[in-house]
Amino acid sequence: MKLALIRSAYSSLRAHPVRPGSRFTGFSRRCLPIGITSSRLSLRAASATSSTGTNPKLTGNFGVQSQKGDESDYDNHVRKVVQSTREAIVTLQKRNPAIQPLLAILQAGEDDSMLEINKKMAVKIGLNITQICLAKECNEDDIVEELLKLNDDPKVHGIYLHLPRGSITSRVLNTLKPEKDIEGISDLNMGRLIRGDLSKGFVPPLASAVLDLLENHDAPLEGKTVLLVGGEGPLQLAVQCLIERSGMVTLKSHWSSKTLQAQVMQADAVVLLDVGNMYVPPTWIRPGAAIIYSKPALEKDESAFGLSSKSGLESLTAAYRTQNVVRSCSRWLKGQEYRPWHLRSLKLQPLTPVPSDLEISRAQIPKPVDQLAEEIGLLPEELEAYGRSKAKVRLSVLERLQSQPNGKYILVAGITPTPLGEGKSTVTVGLVQALSAHLKLNSFACLRQPSQGPTFGVKGGAAGGGYAQVIPMEEFNLHLTGDIHAITAANNLVAAAIDARMLHEATQSDKALFNRLVPSVNGVRKFSPIQISRLQRLGIRKTDPASLTPEEINAFVRLDLDPSKITWQRVVDTNDRFLRKITVGQASSEKGQIRETGFDIAVASEIMAILALADSLEDMKNRLARMVVGTSRSGQPITAEDLGVSGALAVLMKDAIKPTLMQTLEGTPVFVHAGPFANIAHGNSSVLADKLALKLVGQDGFVVTEAGFGADIGMEKFFNIKCRASGLRPSVVVLVATVRALKMHGGGPNVSAGAPLPREYTDENLSLVAGGCRSNLRKQIQIAHLFGVPVVVAVNVFKTDTQAEIDLVCQIAKECGASDALPCNHWAQGGRGSSELAQAVKEAASKPSDFQFLYNTEMPIVEKIRTIAQRVYGADDIELSPEAKSKTDYYHQQGYGSLPICMAKTHLSLSHMPDKKGAPTGFVLPIRDVRASIGAGFIYPLVGTMSTMPGLPTRPCFYDIDLDPVTEEITGLF
C-alpha cells in the first residue's frame, strides 16, 4: 500500500473536567478572551451519545487516499486502535463504574478544527473532551496558569497543548505534568521513550501513527531505509527512535538540502514532517516506496496531494491520542490502589555514654517528608508540607484505601507511674523502630502532640528519648503544624461569643436584638443556615423572618445564659497558675457584666477531645455544634450552635483535623495528632491518625499508639471511649513497666520530680521489685484482660537496673498472665534494643483476641461509674455528693445518659489517694461532681480536685532553653 497521507497534528494537549460519573462521551468548552485567562466561562456541548444510551457504533469513512486510491487498509488501522481502546475503557469501568477518561485541549484562539477530529474519535471510543480556548495573543504566563489548574484536577487524564510551536517553551513543558502529557513531549517522557521505558511515559500519537503505517506497508520495511524530512525537535526524535527500534534504518534531511531529491529517490519510505507549503513531486518517489505526509494541526493549507486537512493521518493520530488518555486514566486508577512500602531506614550509630536527646536528634538528618510519604504509599496530592520534615496528610487517603484491610492495632499503656513518667512514648517509638527497621515489617507510631506548657515547665517534651525519638524533636515539641493554636483560637472564640451574647441580651430589647441578629441587607431580611437550625430546635418551622410572632422572636433571640452555670473557660498553652481564677467584664464599656471565670491549659479544651475522637470533617463539625457551654436560667443546655459559632469553629479547625506526618530517628513513619489531657479527657491520640495508619501499613503491618498515664486511666478510656468512637479493635496491649516504679509500688519511698532518687531506687532491691510486681503490675495486667486483650510486658531498662531485677520482673509478669515479658534497651540502642519486644508483639498479634467493652452504655450513669471503680480501680463502692447525684439526674433527663464515662482521677494511684501505691483495696471512691463534654461524647465524673491549669515550678525548664542567633540552633530542650 502506497500511502499519501496529510497533515496530522503535532501539538500538545490539555484537559478540564466534565462530569466524571457520566458513562458516555461529553464535551465542554471554555474560552478565555484577551486579558481574561483565569475566568471559568464554560459551555457544555451536547452529549455525543446515541439515543439508545449505548456507545455509538463505528461509522463514517476513515479512508485516506493513497496513490492507488485504496482506503480500506488505513481504515482498518484506525478501527483496530479504536476497538482496543474501547475495550480498555470497558475494562476500566468494570473496576470502577464511575470513572470516565477525560482529554483536555488547551489552545490559543477559537479554531475548532482540532476539537472536531478528537471529538469524533471520542464518540467512537467513549471518553470526554473539554476545550480551553485562551486568547489568541496569550503569553507564557497565561498558558502556565491554565496548565497548573489542569495538572491539579484529578478528573483530567490527558492534556493536549494545541498551541503554536513558539508557545511551547521549556517553561511550559516543565510545567506540564508528565503523567498527563499524552503527547509525550515533555523532557521526562521523551527521555523515557529514548531509554525504552514506557511503563510511565507516552509515545507521541503522531509517532505511533507513522510507525503503524510503516509497519503495515505492502512490502516489509525491516532493514530498509526511512528518510525523515523536516520536523526538528521532539517529534522527529520520537519518530526516529520508534523506527530504529522496529529494525529500520533512519536518515534525516532538511527541506533546504541540495541532495533532498536524491535522498527521497533512494529511500524505501519517506516521512515528511511539518510539510507547511513545501512540496515533494510524485516523480521523486521511487516505485513501491511509502510516503507519509504530516502537517501541523495549526496549519490550514491543503496537502501536497490535495486532501482535506480533516482527513489523512489525523484520524489515526487522534485514535492513538485517545488511547494514551485511556492509558493515563488506567495508570491513575492503578496509582489510587494500595502501594507496597519501600521504606529506607536511617542508620543509627549509638554512642556511650548516651548524649542528650537534643544532641541525638540533631545528629540525625531526617529524610525529606515528601520522600518518606512516597516510601509509605502516599500520593503527592495527599500531602501538605510544613517545611522539609513534617507535613499534614489529607483525609482523602481513607476514601482511596477504603477497601484496604487494616493492619494490627497495638496499644502501649503502662503501670501506675512515678511523677517522672515511665517512658511509654519512648517504648512506642522504640517498638516501631524495631518493627520497621529491624524486622522489616510495615509499622506506624501514632503519638499525641505535646502541650508547650510542660515543655517550658518541668516535664519537658514528649518526643521519646535517647535513641528512640521523633525527629526533629524541636519541631515536635514546639509549634508543630499549629493544631494547638487553632484549638486555642476556636475555644476562645466560643468564650468571646458567650460574654458578648450575655452583654447584648442584657442591654437590648427583643426587637433590637432581632434586627441586629437578622439584619436587613438591601431591604431583605434573611436567616442564616445556622439560625434556621436554631429555629428548628425550638420547634419553629418558619424561614421568613417577617412571619415570626413576638413570642417566637423572644425564644429565638434570648439564650438567657445563667452566668453561674457557664462551664466554658478560655484557654492558653502555657502553665500559668494566676489564670486559674479571674474576673472579666470590669471595663465600663461592659456595663456591669462582671463575672468570675478562669483559664484552662489549651489541651484541656473540649475541642481538643473532639479533634481526637472525630472520624471525619463532618463528624467534627457536628460535635463542635453539640458542645454545651452552659445552662439557661430555665435549665436548658446552651450549645455552640445556639451561639451561632459552630460553623466558624469548623473553619478554624479544618486544617487541624489532618494528622501530621513525621519520622523516628531510624526513618520510620509517625503520625502526631491531638493531645487531650489524660485525667479530665481520654488521653489518646486521634482516631483519624490511627485509621489512616492502619490503612497505610497494610494487612500485615502494625500501628502502635499510646494511652496516657497508667492502664487504669489511659487504657480504660482507650477501650471504652476511643474504641467505641472509632469501631477499631486492638490486637495487643504492650504494658510498660520500670524497675523504678515497681520499687515505689513495692513500698519504696516517695519519688519527686526535681529531687534526687533515694538509694532504694539506685541500688538493687529484689524485695521491693517483687512487691510492686505482685501488686500494681498484676492489677494492670488483670485490667487489660477484662477487655479480652493479650498483654506483653515491656520492661523499660534504666542504667541503674540490675540484671537480677530485670529478670525478676519478666518472671513475675508471666506468672501474672502476661503473654510475654521482655527487657527493652531502645533508649541506649534504638530499634535494635527492642527487637525481642517487637518479635513478641508480632507473635501475640497473630493469635485471636476476644475484645469486649467493660460496660453497656445503656446502663445508668451511676452504674457505669460503679463498674469502673470496682472492676478497674479495686474500690468497694462509690459515694456521690449531692451535687454529683443531681447532675447525673439532669444528664439523664437531657438524654445524655447513654454516653460513655471518662473518669477524672489522679494518675498516681489506682485509687483517688495519690499516696496509696501498689493495688489499694477496701476504699470507697468519692465522686465530687459529674460534668459532661457533649461534643466530645462522654460524661466525666470528678474524683477529688482536678487542676486543668498547671503552674510553673521554682525553676522551670525555660532557664535552660536558648537560641543561637547565628546558627538558629535551639539548646536546652529535652
Side-chain angles (χ1 to χ4, degrees):
M1 156 178 95
K2 300 172 190 170
L3 298 174
L5 302 175
I6 347 192
R7 32 177 154 190
S8 191
Y10 166 47
S11 292
S12 313
L13 320 168
R14 165 68 165 148
H16 202 79
V18 160
R19 294 175 56 99
S22 169
R23 180 171 175 79
F24 303 113
T25 308
F27 306 100
S28 69
R29 186 180 186 192
R30 183 160 50 87
C31 298
L32 306 180
I34 297 174
I36 308 178
T37 58
S38 60
S39 64
R40 292 278 156 181
L41 308 175
S42 64
L43 171 67
R44 179 167 174 93
S47 173
T49 63
S50 69
S51 60
T52 60
T54 60
N55 281 330
K57 293 182 179 179
L58 196 59
T59 59
N61 180 12
F62 284 82
V64 60
Q65 293 177 354
S66 72
Q67 290 178 331
K68 293 181 179 180
D70 184 2
E71 301 178 355
S72 60
D73 286 345
Y74 179 79
D75 191 28
N76 287 334
H77 293 317
V78 177
R79 287 178 185 275
K80 287 179 182 178
V81 178
V82 168
Q83 184 61 31
S84 66
T85 306
R86 184 186 293 161
E87 290 170 358
I89 289 183
V90 170
T91 301
L92 283 181
Q93 292 179 336
K94 283 181 180 177
R95 289 164 46 200
N96 189 331
I99 198 67
Q100 186 66 44
L102 176 62
L103 165 66
I105 300 174
L106 179 62
Q107 67 181 58
E110 299 185 31
D111 173 27
D112 287 342
S113 59
M114 183 50 57
L115 175 65
E116 286 305 313
I117 193 160
N118 285 283
K119 184 175 174 182
K120 290 176 182 177
M121 196 57 61
V123 171
K124 301 176 190 304
I125 288 171
L127 56 75
N128 285 346
I129 290 185
T130 187
Q131 179 187 32
I132 298 95
C133 304
L134 298 175
K136 195 169 185 179
E137 301 81 3
C138 64
N139 57 34
E140 187 180 62
D141 289 340
D142 300 333
I143 297 170
V144 167
E145 181 181 348
E146 286 299 315
L147 268 181
L148 290 172
K149 293 172 187 174
L150 295 176
N151 282 345
D152 292 338
D153 191 335
K155 302 180 188 71
V156 172
H157 304 106
I159 299 173
Y160 178 17
L161 301 178
H162 184 46
L163 301 168
R165 180 181 295 175
S167 297
I168 305 177
T169 62
S170 294
R171 182 185 169 205
V172 168
L173 288 177
N174 289 332
T175 302
L176 176 60
K177 203 170 185 177
E179 300 93 306
K180 299 186 180 186
D181 169 31
I182 51 140
E183 290 294 296
I185 58 173
S186 65
D187 293 347
L188 180 58
N189 281 335
M190 191 56 61
R192 287 167 171 163
L193 176 64
I194 294 171
R195 196 176 61 204
D197 176 16
L198 296 178
S199 60
K200 294 182 180 179
F202 298 96
V203 176
L206 179 56
S208 294
V210 168
L211 184 65
D212 189 341
L213 296 176
L214 288 173
E215 288 180 334
N216 290 279
H217 184 55
D218 287 343
L221 289 175
E222 185 173 356
K224 301 295 180 66
T225 300
V226 178
L227 177 66
L228 305 180
V229 182
E232 294 293 335
L235 177 60
Q236 185 192 71
L237 187 60
V239 172
Q240 177 185 351
C241 182
L242 290 176
I243 290 173
E244 291 178 350
R245 196 166 289 144
S246 297
M248 296 175 247
V249 177
T250 59
L251 297 175
K252 293 187 288 185
S253 187
H254 303 283
W255 289 104
S256 58
S257 173
K258 294 180 181 179
T259 61
L260 179 60
Q261 180 178 354
Q263 290 174 311
V264 170
M265 295 181 74
Q266 293 172 7
D268 299 299
V270 180
V271 178
L272 306 177
L273 304 171
D274 292 349
V275 177
N277 293 320
M278 303 306 293
Y279 176 74
V280 175
T283 56
W284 288 14
I285 303 168
R286 60 187 258 186
I291 180 165
I292 299 174
Y293 281 79
S294 167
K295 195 163 187 174
L298 290 175
E299 295 286 344
K300 301 235 182 230
D301 302 312
E302 296 303 311
S303 73
F305 290 99
L307 295 177
S308 164
S309 63
K310 298 294 189 294
S311 63
L313 202 56
E314 287 186 351
S315 294
L316 189 55
T317 302
Y320 277 111
R321 181 175 296 118
T322 55
Q323 187 179 79
N324 279 354
V325 174
V326 174
R327 185 172 289 126
S328 173
C329 180
S330 177
R331 290 173 183 171
W332 179 82
L333 273 179
K334 183 73 175 175
Q336 300 302 301
E337 297 174 358
Y338 178 79
R339 297 183 173 192
W341 284 24
H342 301 284
L343 188 69
R344 178 180 65 86
S345 301
L346 300 178
K347 302 299 181 185
L348 276 185
Q349 294 181 331
L351 301 177
T352 304
V354 176
S356 72
D357 291 351
L358 188 56
E359 289 173 318
I360 293 172
S361 173
R362 194 165 289 154
Q364 185 70 289
I365 299 175
K367 293 179 284 190
V369 71
D370 56 346
Q371 177 187 327
L372 173 64
E374 183 180 3
E375 290 175 356
I376 62 173
L378 285 167
L379 306 180
E381 58 267 26
E382 293 168 341
L383 211 64
E384 297 175 3
Y386 282 65
R388 183 181 180 277
S389 53
K390 58 185 184 292
K392 287 284 193 183
V393 174
R394 295 180 178 173
L395 305 186
S396 58
V397 177
L398 289 174
E399 182 178 357
R400 176 171 68 86
L401 299 179
Q402 58 184 330
S403 61
Q404 170 67 25
N406 287 339
K408 300 291 191 297
Y409 198 24
I410 313 300
L411 175 69
V412 175
I415 64 171
T416 303
T418 69
L420 307 177
E422 309 316 307
K424 292 190 304 299
S425 298
T426 310
V427 170
T428 300
V429 175
L431 176 56
V432 295
Q433 288 181 180
L435 285 165
S436 288
H438 298 272
L439 270 62
K440 304 304 178 183
L441 299 169
N442 293 354
S443 72
F444 229 114
C446 292
L447 299 176
R448 291 177 293 165
Q449 179 183 354
S451 165
Q452 288 181 173
T455 299
F456 291 98
V458 65
K459 181 178 178 291
Y467 286 100
Q469 290 188 59
V470 181
I471 57 172
M473 68 93 76
E474 307 100 299
E475 297 182 24
F476 179 95
N477 285 315
L478 297 177
H479 304 284
L480 198 63
T481 48
D483 293 356
I484 292 180
H485 300 314
I487 289 167
T488 301
N491 185 100
N492 293 344
L493 180 60
V494 176
I498 292 169
D499 287 319
R501 186 60 176 262
M502 289 197 301
L503 168 67
H504 296 313
E505 288 189 22
T507 56
Q508 297 180 50
S509 65
D510 288 357
K511 182 178 179 181
L513 271 173
F514 187 76
N515 288 340
R516 288 183 171 90
L517 287 171
V518 192
S520 176
V521 179
N522 297 325
V524 178
R525 203 178 294 277
K526 184 180 178 182
F527 289 121
S528 67
I530 202 168
Q531 290 175 325
I532 291 176
S533 296
R534 171 160 169 76
L535 287 169
Q536 291 173 346
R537 288 195 305 279
L538 293 170
I540 302 171
R541 307 297 175 186
K542 297 178 180 178
T543 58
D544 181 7
S547 66
L548 266 63
T549 66
E551 293 76 16
E552 290 170 338
I553 289 175
N554 175 268
F556 172 71
V557 301
R558 299 286 170 186
L559 299 181
D560 199 24
L561 273 161
D562 185 341
S564 66
K565 293 184 178 179
I566 293 173
T567 56
W568 197 265
Q569 301 207 117
R570 289 168 171 82
V571 298
V572 64
D573 197 29
T574 304
N575 290 3
D576 192 344
R577 65 177 68 245
F578 281 88
L579 293 177
R580 290 170 178 167
K581 180 176 281 190
I582 62 169
T583 303
V584 296
Q586 292 184 318
S588 59
S589 56
E590 274 48 77
K591 302 179 182 179
Q593 298 298 307
I594 298 172
R595 70 180 183 93
E596 282 192 352
T597 181
F599 272 76
D600 297 330
I601 196 161
V603 293
S605 171
E606 182 177 355
I607 297 176
M608 174 62 90
I610 287 172
L611 178 67
L613 290 170
D615 66 3
S616 67
L617 189 57
E618 182 180 7
D619 182 39
M620 182 181 72
K621 184 178 177 181
N622 292 334
R623 287 173 180 268
L624 291 170
R626 293 197 300 265
M627 293 188 305
V628 174
V629 301
T631 307
S632 70
R633 287 184 173 88
S634 63
Q636 294 302 307
I638 303 300
T639 66
E641 191 170 26
D642 289 323
L643 284 168
V645 74
S646 56
L649 301 182
V651 170
L652 286 170
M653 295 293 295
K654 72 178 181 65
D655 292 321
I657 198 171
K658 304 165 192 170
T660 299
L661 176 66
M662 296 187 75
Q663 64 193 281
T664 68
L665 280 166
E666 297 192 55
T668 66
V670 179
F671 273 140
V672 187
H673 199 216
F677 254 27
N679 46 16
I680 66 165
H682 63 292
N684 291 272
S685 62
S686 77
V687 164
L688 281 169
D690 291 356
K691 284 190 170 184
L692 284 166
L694 284 164
K695 293 297 183 187
L696 288 168
V697 296
Q699 191 169 8
D700 298 324
F702 293 82
V703 171
V704 184
T705 189
E706 173 200 350
F709 295 144
D712 57 307
I713 297 182
M715 183 183 73
E716 182 270 318
K717 295 174 181 178
F718 173 87
F719 291 146
N720 281 322
I721 297 175
K722 185 176 180 181
C723 287
R724 286 185 200 271
S726 68
L728 301 173
R729 301 294 180 261
S731 304
V732 178
V733 168
V734 175
L735 190 66
V736 178
T738 61
V739 169
R740 178 179 67 192
L742 290 169
K743 286 180 176 179
M744 179 187 72
H745 291 297
N750 287 336
V751 175
S752 301
L757 283 172
R759 288 192 59 184
E760 288 86 345
Y761 295 99
T762 56
D763 295 343
E764 183 176 286
N765 192 318
L766 298 179
S767 174
L768 290 179
V769 171
C773 288
R774 293 193 169 93
S775 57
N776 195 269
L777 179 59
R778 180 193 301 271
K779 179 62 176 176
Q780 302 288 14
I781 292 173
Q782 291 172 348
I783 294 170
H785 287 165
L786 288 175
F787 297 90
V789 183
V791 177
V792 174
V793 172
V795 183
N796 190 18
V797 175
F798 286 50
K799 61 183 178 181
T800 55
D801 300 344
T802 68
Q803 191 61 48
E805 290 173 329
I806 294 169
D807 292 343
L808 183 61
V809 175
C810 294
Q811 173 194 330
I812 298 177
K814 294 175 190 176
E815 293 172 1
C816 293
S819 300
D820 209 341
L822 299 128
C824 306
N825 292 285
H826 43 262
W827 182 81
Q829 300 174 12
R832 182 167 56 87
S834 282
S835 294
E836 291 184 358
L837 173 65
Q839 189 62 45
V841 167
K842 178 187 175 185
E843 291 176 6
S846 67
K847 300 173 184 176
S849 62
D850 186 24
F851 177 79
Q852 59 187 2
F853 293 115
L854 185 65
Y855 54 78
N856 187 322
T857 54
E858 297 305 317
M859 292 168 58
I861 293 174
V862 172
E863 289 308 308
K864 287 183 283 194
I865 297 172
R866 181 175 284 113
T867 298
I868 296 172
Q870 292 177 335
R871 300 192 67 190
V872 176
Y873 305 153
D876 286 347
D877 203 354
I878 60 173
E879 182 179 15
L880 273 70
S881 70
E883 183 179 6
K885 181 67 173 65
S886 174
K887 288 281 191 70
T888 58
D889 293 340
Y890 173 75
Y891 293 140
H892 275 296
Q893 177 190 347
Q894 294 297 327
Y896 304 144
S898 61
L899 293 177
I901 302 300
C902 183
M903 300 290 284
K905 181 187 78 71
T906 179
H907 62 288
L908 297 174
S909 172
L910 281 162
S911 73
H912 60 288
M913 300 166 282
D915 58 333
K916 298 295 183 182
K917 307 301 181 183
T921 57
F923 63 94
V924 174
L925 192 74
I927 308 300
R928 179 175 63 85
D929 195 3
V930 178
R931 297 176 185 171
S933 291
I934 304 304
F938 52 72
I939 303 290
Y940 63 100
L942 298 179
V943 182
T945 303
M946 303 299 302
S947 174
T948 54
M949 171 56 82
L952 290 172
T954 304
R955 193 185 189 283
C957 299
F958 61 63
Y959 275 92
D960 301 311
I961 297 173
D962 204 353
L963 178 73
D964 186 320
V966 177
T967 64
E968 298 187 12
E969 286 190 347
I970 297 170
T971 58
L973 279 179
F974 68 96

